[in-house]
Amino acid sequence: MSDIYAFDLALDLRAESSQEVLDLVQWHLGLDSEQVPGGDLSDDSNLDAFPLWSGRGAAHRIGGVLLGGLVHGTRGWALTVRQEIHSEDLPELKELVEQLARHSVSDGLIGQIRFHESELPDVLFNRSGTLVQFSLIQREEVEVLAD
């Protein structure tokens, strides 16, 4: 059994987001330097740091494609991520997404996270700069397009 989660994120960062925030996102996407932005690799806390969103190509457990991109758009910086995340990396992921929510102009639904063997994800919302995670509990199957 594997402790892999499917993670999807789509949000817009403010146009005036600091270079530090943009560098951090680019590093996690695998688009920038090998050094952790704002971190000292000689510091023991950064020795195990690695880009969480640098996977590309076919997913191993969750199906579909691993991807990540950051582009300048009409509302600021558009970020989209779809990755496989190991359970050991969930604290770092949560910290990163909380930081991005504080710099986001996207309010409401911004993503989801799902244990790869589960049918339903937890959904991620940005509520005025605060990350909120809701669990979807399926009590019974409902046919949405029923006659």
Side-chain angles (χ1 to χ4, degrees), residues 45-62:
S45 65
N46 289 319
L47 289 177
D48 295 329
F50 68 95
L52 292 173
W53 301 333
S54 61
R56 299 294 183 271
H60 297 284
R61 293 279 188 193
I62 64 173

PDB file of all heavy atoms in Angstrom, residues 45-62:
ATOM      1  N   SER A  45      17.502  22.268   8.708  1.00  0.00           N
ATOM      2  CA  SER A  45      16.070  22.225   8.398  1.00  0.00           C
ATOM      3  C   SER A  45      15.812  22.224   6.900  1.00  0.00           C
ATOM      4  O   SER A  45      14.739  21.850   6.460  1.00  0.00           O
ATOM      5  CB  SER A  45      15.344  23.408   9.050  1.00  0.00           C
ATOM      6  OG  SER A  45      15.790  24.625   8.494  1.00  0.00           O
ATOM      7  N   ASN A  46      16.796  22.638   6.085  1.00  0.00           N
ATOM      8  CA  ASN A  46      16.617  22.682   4.630  1.00  0.00           C
ATOM      9  C   ASN A  46      17.304  21.537   3.900  1.00  0.00           C
ATOM     10  O   ASN A  46      17.215  21.449   2.682  1.00  0.00           O
ATOM     11  CB  ASN A  46      17.139  24.010   4.076  1.00  0.00           C
ATOM     12  CG  ASN A  46      16.249  25.169   4.450  1.00  0.00           C
ATOM     13  OD1 ASN A  46      15.027  25.044   4.423  1.00  0.00           O
ATOM     14  ND2 ASN A  46      16.832  26.276   4.821  1.00  0.00           N
ATOM     15  N   LEU A  47      17.978  20.647   4.624  1.00  0.00           N
ATOM     16  CA  LEU A  47      18.727  19.579   3.964  1.00  0.00           C
ATOM     17  C   LEU A  47      17.832  18.642   3.164  1.00  0.00           C
ATOM     18  O   LEU A  47      18.241  18.134   2.130  1.00  0.00           O
ATOM     19  CB  LEU A  47      19.535  18.783   4.988  1.00  0.00           C
ATOM     20  CG  LEU A  47      20.738  19.501   5.583  1.00  0.00           C
ATOM     21  CD1 LEU A  47      21.408  18.625   6.626  1.00  0.00           C
ATOM     22  CD2 LEU A  47      21.734  19.896   4.500  1.00  0.00           C
ATOM     23  N   ASP A  48      16.639  18.386   3.649  1.00  0.00           N
ATOM     24  CA  ASP A  48      15.731  17.459   2.980  1.00  0.00           C
ATOM     25  C   ASP A  48      14.729  18.163   2.069  1.00  0.00           C
ATOM     26  O   ASP A  48      13.834  17.526   1.531  1.00  0.00           O
ATOM     27  CB  ASP A  48      14.974  16.625   4.015  1.00  0.00           C
ATOM     28  CG  ASP A  48      15.898  15.720   4.807  1.00  0.00           C
ATOM     29  OD1 ASP A  48      16.920  15.278   4.241  1.00  0.00           O
ATOM     30  OD2 ASP A  48      15.617  15.471   5.987  1.00  0.00           O
ATOM     31  N   ALA A  49      14.866  19.472   1.910  1.00  0.00           N
ATOM     32  CA  ALA A  49      13.917  20.234   1.091  1.00  0.00           C
ATOM     33  C   ALA A  49      14.045  19.827  -0.373  1.00  0.00           C
ATOM     34  O   ALA A  49      15.140  19.624  -0.884  1.00  0.00           O
ATOM     35  CB  ALA A  49      14.160  21.727   1.252  1.00  0.00           C
ATOM     36  N   PHE A  50      12.897  19.701  -1.031  1.00  0.00           N
ATOM     37  CA  PHE A  50      12.879  19.405  -2.463  1.00  0.00           C
ATOM     38  C   PHE A  50      11.612  20.010  -3.052  1.00  0.00           C
ATOM     39  O   PHE A  50      10.637  20.234  -2.339  1.00  0.00           O
ATOM     40  CB  PHE A  50      12.938  17.896  -2.725  1.00  0.00           C
ATOM     41  CG  PHE A  50      11.704  17.158  -2.305  1.00  0.00           C
ATOM     42  CD1 PHE A  50      10.693  16.896  -3.223  1.00  0.00           C
ATOM     43  CD2 PHE A  50      11.537  16.747  -0.996  1.00  0.00           C
ATOM     44  CE1 PHE A  50       9.546  16.236  -2.831  1.00  0.00           C
ATOM     45  CE2 PHE A  50      10.386  16.084  -0.600  1.00  0.00           C
ATOM     46  CZ  PHE A  50       9.391  15.820  -1.520  1.00  0.00           C
ATOM     47  N   PRO A  51      11.631  20.271  -4.358  1.00  0.00           N
ATOM     48  CA  PRO A  51      10.446  20.856  -5.002  1.00  0.00           C
ATOM     49  C   PRO A  51       9.257  19.897  -4.952  1.00  0.00           C
ATOM     50  O   PRO A  51       9.332  18.776  -5.439  1.00  0.00           O
ATOM     51  CB  PRO A  51      10.897  21.093  -6.442  1.00  0.00           C
ATOM     52  CG  PRO A  51      12.386  21.101  -6.387  1.00  0.00           C
ATOM     53  CD  PRO A  51      12.756  20.170  -5.272  1.00  0.00           C
ATOM     54  N   LEU A  52       8.154  20.337  -4.355  1.00  0.00           N
ATOM     55  CA  LEU A  52       6.965  19.497  -4.207  1.00  0.00           C
ATOM     56  C   LEU A  52       6.193  19.325  -5.515  1.00  0.00           C
ATOM     57  O   LEU A  52       5.463  18.351  -5.669  1.00  0.00           O
ATOM     58  CB  LEU A  52       6.021  20.103  -3.161  1.00  0.00           C
ATOM     59  CG  LEU A  52       6.501  20.095  -1.720  1.00  0.00           C
ATOM     60  CD1 LEU A  52       5.536  20.893  -0.846  1.00  0.00           C
ATOM     61  CD2 LEU A  52       6.643  18.673  -1.204  1.00  0.00           C
ATOM     62  N   TRP A  53       6.333  20.281  -6.430  1.00  0.00           N
ATOM     63  CA  TRP A  53       5.490  20.290  -7.621  1.00  0.00           C
ATOM     64  C   TRP A  53       6.276  20.163  -8.919  1.00  0.00           C
ATOM     65  O   TRP A  53       5.851  20.646  -9.970  1.00  0.00           O
ATOM     66  CB  TRP A  53       4.666  21.585  -7.666  1.00  0.00           C
ATOM     67  CG  TRP A  53       3.789  21.775  -6.477  1.00  0.00           C
ATOM     68  CD1 TRP A  53       3.248  20.815  -5.673  1.00  0.00           C
ATOM     69  CD2 TRP A  53       3.321  23.010  -5.955  1.00  0.00           C
ATOM     70  NE1 TRP A  53       2.481  21.380  -4.696  1.00  0.00           N
ATOM     71  CE2 TRP A  53       2.502  22.730  -4.839  1.00  0.00           C
ATOM     72  CE3 TRP A  53       3.503  24.339  -6.327  1.00  0.00           C
ATOM     73  CZ2 TRP A  53       1.877  23.715  -4.098  1.00  0.00           C
ATOM     74  CZ3 TRP A  53       2.881  25.324  -5.587  1.00  0.00           C
ATOM     75  CH2 TRP A  53       2.077  25.021  -4.487  1.00  0.00           C
ATOM     76  N   SER A  54       7.407  19.479  -8.887  1.00  0.00           N
ATOM     77  CA  SER A  54       8.255  19.405 -10.079  1.00  0.00           C
ATOM     78  C   SER A  54       7.958  18.197 -10.954  1.00  0.00           C
ATOM     79  O   SER A  54       8.539  18.044 -12.022  1.00  0.00           O
ATOM     80  CB  SER A  54       9.731  19.397  -9.677  1.00  0.00           C
ATOM     81  OG  SER A  54      10.019  18.266  -8.877  1.00  0.00           O
ATOM     82  N   GLY A  55       7.022  17.326 -10.538  1.00  0.00           N
ATOM     83  CA  GLY A  55       6.697  16.148 -11.336  1.00  0.00           C
ATOM     84  C   GLY A  55       6.052  16.528 -12.662  1.00  0.00           C
ATOM     85  O   GLY A  55       5.213  17.419 -12.741  1.00  0.00           O
ATOM     86  N   ARG A  56       6.467  15.833 -13.717  1.00  0.00           N
ATOM     87  CA  ARG A  56       5.899  16.039 -15.049  1.00  0.00           C
ATOM     88  C   ARG A  56       5.717  14.676 -15.700  1.00  0.00           C
ATOM     89  O   ARG A  56       6.455  13.737 -15.423  1.00  0.00           O
ATOM     90  CB  ARG A  56       6.822  16.891 -15.942  1.00  0.00           C
ATOM     91  CG  ARG A  56       7.107  18.291 -15.424  1.00  0.00           C
ATOM     92  CD  ARG A  56       5.847  19.152 -15.409  1.00  0.00           C
ATOM     93  NE  ARG A  56       6.120  20.514 -14.982  1.00  0.00           N
ATOM     94  CZ  ARG A  56       6.103  20.938 -13.722  1.00  0.00           C
ATOM     95  NH1 ARG A  56       5.853  20.094 -12.748  1.00  0.00           N
ATOM     96  NH2 ARG A  56       6.345  22.194 -13.420  1.00  0.00           N
ATOM     97  N   GLY A  57       4.725  14.567 -16.566  1.00  0.00           N
ATOM     98  CA  GLY A  57       4.490  13.303 -17.255  1.00  0.00           C
ATOM     99  C   GLY A  57       3.379  12.509 -16.604  1.00  0.00           C
ATOM    100  O   GLY A  57       2.573  13.034 -15.826  1.00  0.00           O
ATOM    101  N   ALA A  58       3.348  11.220 -16.904  1.00  0.00           N
ATOM    102  CA  ALA A  58       2.289  10.347 -16.413  1.00  0.00           C
ATOM    103  C   ALA A  58       2.409  10.145 -14.909  1.00  0.00           C
ATOM    104  O   ALA A  58       3.504   9.945 -14.386  1.00  0.00           O
ATOM    105  CB  ALA A  58       2.350   8.998 -17.124  1.00  0.00           C
ATOM    106  N   ALA A  59       1.276  10.202 -14.224  1.00  0.00           N
ATOM    107  CA  ALA A  59       1.249   9.933 -12.787  1.00  0.00           C
ATOM    108  C   ALA A  59       1.405   8.435 -12.549  1.00  0.00           C
ATOM    109  O   ALA A  59       0.981   7.619 -13.371  1.00  0.00           O
ATOM    110  CB  ALA A  59      -0.065  10.434 -12.192  1.00  0.00           C
ATOM    111  N   HIS A  60       2.005   8.079 -11.425  1.00  0.00           N
ATOM    112  CA  HIS A  60       2.225   6.668 -11.116  1.00  0.00           C
ATOM    113  C   HIS A  60       1.024   6.025 -10.440  1.00  0.00           C
ATOM    114  O   HIS A  60       0.671   4.893 -10.743  1.00  0.00           O
ATOM    115  CB  HIS A  60       3.457   6.508 -10.222  1.00  0.00           C
ATOM    116  CG  HIS A  60       4.709   6.954 -10.884  1.00  0.00           C
ATOM    117  ND1 HIS A  60       5.355   6.214 -11.837  1.00  0.00           N
ATOM    118  CD2 HIS A  60       5.430   8.084 -10.747  1.00  0.00           C
ATOM    119  CE1 HIS A  60       6.416   6.856 -12.263  1.00  0.00           C
ATOM    120  NE2 HIS A  60       6.489   8.002 -11.617  1.00  0.00           N
ATOM    121  N   ARG A  61       0.376   6.731  -9.508  1.00  0.00           N
ATOM    122  CA  ARG A  61      -0.702   6.151  -8.717  1.00  0.00           C
ATOM    123  C   ARG A  61      -2.070   6.777  -8.961  1.00  0.00           C
ATOM    124  O   ARG A  61      -3.082   6.107  -8.841  1.00  0.00           O
ATOM    125  CB  ARG A  61      -0.387   6.294  -7.223  1.00  0.00           C
ATOM    126  CG  ARG A  61       0.769   5.486  -6.768  1.00  0.00           C
ATOM    127  CD  ARG A  61       0.321   4.078  -6.535  1.00  0.00           C
ATOM    128  NE  ARG A  61       1.403   3.333  -5.916  1.00  0.00           N
ATOM    129  CZ  ARG A  61       1.401   2.043  -5.814  1.00  0.00           C
ATOM    130  NH1 ARG A  61       0.388   1.351  -6.258  1.00  0.00           N
ATOM    131  NH2 ARG A  61       2.405   1.425  -5.262  1.00  0.00           N
ATOM    132  N   ILE A  62      -2.114   8.071  -9.258  1.00  0.00           N
ATOM    133  CA  ILE A  62      -3.398   8.773  -9.278  1.00  0.00           C
ATOM    134  C   ILE A  62      -4.031   8.836 -10.662  1.00  0.00           C
ATOM    135  O   ILE A  62      -5.156   9.265 -10.812  1.00  0.00           O
ATOM    136  CB  ILE A  62      -3.265  10.204  -8.705  1.00  0.00           C
ATOM    137  CG1 ILE A  62      -2.355  11.074  -9.569  1.00  0.00           C
ATOM    138  CG2 ILE A  62      -2.778  10.150  -7.278  1.00  0.00           C
ATOM    139  CD1 ILE A  62      -2.313  12.537  -9.174  1.00  0.00           C
TER     140      ILE A  62
END
